[in-house]
Amino acid sequence: MTEITTETLYCYVHPTRETALRCNNCNRPICAACAVRTPIGYRCRECVKGQQKAFDTSEWYDFLTGFVVAALISLVASFLVIFIGRIGFFGWFLIAAGAPTAGVAIAEGVRLVTGKRRSRPLFITVIVGVVLGALPVILSQLILTGNFFGVLFQVIYLVIAVPVVYSRLSGIQLFR
């Protein structure tokens, strides 16, 4: 008879934990806490990070151009929100419909200047550009005119436009 002997495997991150799992990419032993489930099996965190880095394609200048374009388009959209806010009750509906459109315009403008390159830090930089682009208008309405409804319209614009910009750039699909 043939005897099968199996050696006890220990996680390469936690040397005191016994395991039967191996990374399907590098074949290192990993415990359940270190294993990351992927569509093709369990992988260690280093292999997952290495795979994700392949999708980060942004260049250093994409951060600058993406920020500037997002801030400028957001500034223009914020000025439009001032005029829409003066309409009255119907303005609430126009803001709710126009903010996603502004978000799409910002995302597509950024995508145009960045050449469709992508990375999570780039998306966050663009979001900061959107918020900072609207900030001068918000401050002018708050300090110069004291128009609190105008500030409320700006906040509604930002609350709607920011997630639209992020989801358009990152490719997050809320509904499949």
Side-chain angles (χ1 to χ4, degrees):
M1 296 209 101
T2 307
E3 288 186 29
I4 299 175
T5 59
T6 59
E7 65 178 276
T8 304
L9 298 176
Y10 293 95
C11 177
Y12 79 98
V13 177
H14 305 102
T16 59
R17 294 186 188 169
E18 291 186 21
T19 185
L21 284 174
R22 286 187 178 267
C23 173
N24 71 352
N25 189 39
C26 66
N27 208 25
R28 288 188 286 193
I30 51 177
C31 66
C34 295
V36 178
R37 185 175 181 193
T38 65
I40 56 172
Y42 290 100
R43 290 199 173 176
C44 63
R45 295 179 197 269
E46 284 76 22
C47 289
V48 170
K49 283 181 187 175
Q51 187 65 31
Q52 287 176 343
K53 285 181 183 178
F55 294 108
D56 291 343
T57 58
S58 62
E59 299 289 336
W60 67 269
Y61 51 85
D62 292 333
F63 293 93
L64 180 64
T65 57
F67 178 84
V68 169
V69 167
L72 289 176
I73 297 174
S74 181
L75 181 66
V76 170
S78 293
F79 277 121
L80 292 176
V81 168
I82 291 174
F83 297 117
I84 293 172
R86 293 182 181 160
I87 292 175
F89 182 72
F90 188 63
W92 292 93
F93 297 109
L94 289 177
I95 294 289
T101 306
V104 169
I106 293 168
E108 293 305 317
V110 168
R111 190 176 289 161
L112 182 70
V113 298
T114 60
K116 297 184 181 180
R117 288 181 292 276
R118 49 186 294 125
S119 72
R120 187 164 194 254
L122 175 63
F123 306 150
I124 293 170
T125 303
V126 169
I127 294 303
V128 170
V130 171
V131 173
L132 291 181
L135 195 60
V137 176
I138 292 172
L139 291 177
S140 70
Q141 285 193 334
L142 192 61
I143 295 171
L144 297 178
T145 63
N147 184 1
F148 292 109
F149 279 111
V151 173
L152 182 63
F153 280 136
Q154 296 293 333
V155 169
I156 291 171
Y157 154 70
L158 286 175
V159 165
I160 295 173
V162 164
V164 170
V165 171
Y166 188 84
S167 65
R168 290 283 293 200
L169 289 176
S170 66
I172 294 174
Q173 295 180 353
L174 300 178
F175 306 104
R176 288 187 192 207

PDB file of all heavy atoms in Angstrom, residues 4 45 66 75 85 94 102 127 162:
ATOM      1  N   ILE A   4       0.125   8.153   1.870  1.00  0.00           N
ATOM      2  CA  ILE A   4       0.177   9.551   1.451  1.00  0.00           C
ATOM      3  C   ILE A   4       0.464  10.386   2.693  1.00  0.00           C
ATOM      4  O   ILE A   4      -0.292  10.353   3.655  1.00  0.00           O
ATOM      5  CB  ILE A   4      -1.152   9.989   0.809  1.00  0.00           C
ATOM      6  CG1 ILE A   4      -1.437   9.151  -0.422  1.00  0.00           C
ATOM      7  CG2 ILE A   4      -1.117  11.473   0.490  1.00  0.00           C
ATOM      8  CD1 ILE A   4      -2.775   9.436  -1.055  1.00  0.00           C
ATOM      9  N   ARG A  45      -3.122  38.545  -0.849  1.00  0.00           N
ATOM     10  CA  ARG A  45      -3.315  39.985  -1.023  1.00  0.00           C
ATOM     11  C   ARG A  45      -2.273  40.602  -1.962  1.00  0.00           C
ATOM     12  O   ARG A  45      -2.585  41.533  -2.703  1.00  0.00           O
ATOM     13  CB  ARG A  45      -3.279  40.682   0.325  1.00  0.00           C
ATOM     14  CG  ARG A  45      -4.431  40.285   1.213  1.00  0.00           C
ATOM     15  CD  ARG A  45      -4.372  40.982   2.564  1.00  0.00           C
ATOM     16  NE  ARG A  45      -5.226  40.329   3.531  1.00  0.00           N
ATOM     17  CZ  ARG A  45      -6.481  40.653   3.752  1.00  0.00           C
ATOM     18  NH1 ARG A  45      -7.032  41.606   3.053  1.00  0.00           N
ATOM     19  NH2 ARG A  45      -7.185  40.008   4.658  1.00  0.00           N
ATOM     20  N   GLY A  66      -7.105  66.704 -15.044  1.00  0.00           N
ATOM     21  CA  GLY A  66      -8.413  66.261 -14.571  1.00  0.00           C
ATOM     22  C   GLY A  66      -8.977  67.181 -13.513  1.00  0.00           C
ATOM     23  O   GLY A  66     -10.165  67.531 -13.525  1.00  0.00           O
ATOM     24  N   LEU A  75     -17.449  74.930 -11.843  1.00  0.00           N
ATOM     25  CA  LEU A  75     -17.679  76.356 -11.615  1.00  0.00           C
ATOM     26  C   LEU A  75     -18.777  76.884 -12.534  1.00  0.00           C
ATOM     27  O   LEU A  75     -19.677  77.610 -12.087  1.00  0.00           O
ATOM     28  CB  LEU A  75     -16.371  77.127 -11.831  1.00  0.00           C
ATOM     29  CG  LEU A  75     -16.420  78.629 -11.611  1.00  0.00           C
ATOM     30  CD1 LEU A  75     -16.686  78.935 -10.138  1.00  0.00           C
ATOM     31  CD2 LEU A  75     -15.116  79.265 -12.061  1.00  0.00           C
ATOM     32  N   GLY A  85     -31.848  78.528  -9.534  1.00  0.00           N
ATOM     33  CA  GLY A  85     -32.418  78.717  -8.207  1.00  0.00           C
ATOM     34  C   GLY A  85     -33.337  79.911  -8.113  1.00  0.00           C
ATOM     35  O   GLY A  85     -34.214  79.969  -7.246  1.00  0.00           O
ATOM     36  N   LEU A  94     -35.591  71.411 -11.760  1.00  0.00           N
ATOM     37  CA  LEU A  94     -34.513  71.610 -12.735  1.00  0.00           C
ATOM     38  C   LEU A  94     -33.151  71.251 -12.144  1.00  0.00           C
ATOM     39  O   LEU A  94     -32.290  70.706 -12.845  1.00  0.00           O
ATOM     40  CB  LEU A  94     -34.516  73.055 -13.235  1.00  0.00           C
ATOM     41  CG  LEU A  94     -35.678  73.445 -14.146  1.00  0.00           C
ATOM     42  CD1 LEU A  94     -35.600  74.917 -14.496  1.00  0.00           C
ATOM     43  CD2 LEU A  94     -35.671  72.601 -15.404  1.00  0.00           C
ATOM     44  N   ALA A 102     -24.887  67.671 -15.422  1.00  0.00           N
ATOM     45  CA  ALA A 102     -23.618  68.349 -15.173  1.00  0.00           C
ATOM     46  C   ALA A 102     -22.550  67.341 -14.769  1.00  0.00           C
ATOM     47  O   ALA A 102     -21.390  67.445 -15.191  1.00  0.00           O
ATOM     48  CB  ALA A 102     -23.793  69.406 -14.084  1.00  0.00           C
ATOM     49  N   ILE A 127     -12.958  64.453  -8.042  1.00  0.00           N
ATOM     50  CA  ILE A 127     -14.053  64.780  -7.124  1.00  0.00           C
ATOM     51  C   ILE A 127     -13.702  66.021  -6.305  1.00  0.00           C
ATOM     52  O   ILE A 127     -14.547  66.897  -6.097  1.00  0.00           O
ATOM     53  CB  ILE A 127     -14.364  63.578  -6.205  1.00  0.00           C
ATOM     54  CG1 ILE A 127     -14.905  62.422  -7.018  1.00  0.00           C
ATOM     55  CG2 ILE A 127     -15.312  63.964  -5.095  1.00  0.00           C
ATOM     56  CD1 ILE A 127     -16.130  62.736  -7.833  1.00  0.00           C
ATOM     57  N   VAL A 162     -21.546  64.750  -7.619  1.00  0.00           N
ATOM     58  CA  VAL A 162     -20.303  64.069  -7.212  1.00  0.00           C
ATOM     59  C   VAL A 162     -20.391  62.549  -7.412  1.00  0.00           C
ATOM     60  O   VAL A 162     -19.489  61.959  -8.018  1.00  0.00           O
ATOM     61  CB  VAL A 162     -19.927  64.458  -5.765  1.00  0.00           C
ATOM     62  CG1 VAL A 162     -18.909  63.507  -5.182  1.00  0.00           C
ATOM     63  CG2 VAL A 162     -19.395  65.883  -5.731  1.00  0.00           C
TER      64      VAL A 162
END
